[in-house]
Amino acid sequence: GMHSGEGTRFENASFTYPGSSQPALQDFSLHIQPVEELASVGESGSGKSTLIRCLNALENPQVVKCIFMVIA
C-alpha cells in the first residue's frame, strides 16, 4: 500500500502514443525517494520526454501494478 514519504513509483509501466505501433516506454520500473533527484539523459527518441511527461501526469502510462505519487 501507500505510505507517507514513499515517493514516486512506476512498476512495469508502458506508454504508447496514439497512432504509434511502438511503445515509447515499455515495462519501465522506477522508484524515486522523496529526497532524490532524477536526471533524464539518453539518445534522441529514447523516451526521456515521455518519462518526464508521465511523471508530471501529462500522459497516463498503462501500468501492471500501481503508480504511487506521494508528496512528503
Side-chain angles (χ1 to χ4, degrees), residues 22-45:
Q22 296 293 322
L25 294 176
Q26 185 173 7
D27 297 326
F28 181 78
S29 296
L30 171 72
H31 183 202
I32 305 171
Q33 298 289 335
V35 296
E36 289 184 312
E37 296 178 5
L38 172 70
S40 181
V41 295
E43 296 181 16
S44 179

Side-chain angles (χ1 to χ4, degrees), residues 2 8-11 13 54 60-61 63 65-69:
M2 273 186 352
T8 300
R9 182 186 305 266
F10 285 82
E11 292 188 11
C54 287
N60 293 313
V63 293
K65 292 186 180 177
C66 299
I67 298 175
F68 302 131
M69 291 189 180

Side-chain angles (χ1 to χ4, degrees), residues 6-21:
E6 190 166 314
T8 300
R9 182 186 305 266
F10 285 82
E11 292 188 11
N12 303 322
S14 296
F15 181 81
T16 302
Y17 284 101
S20 178
S21 61

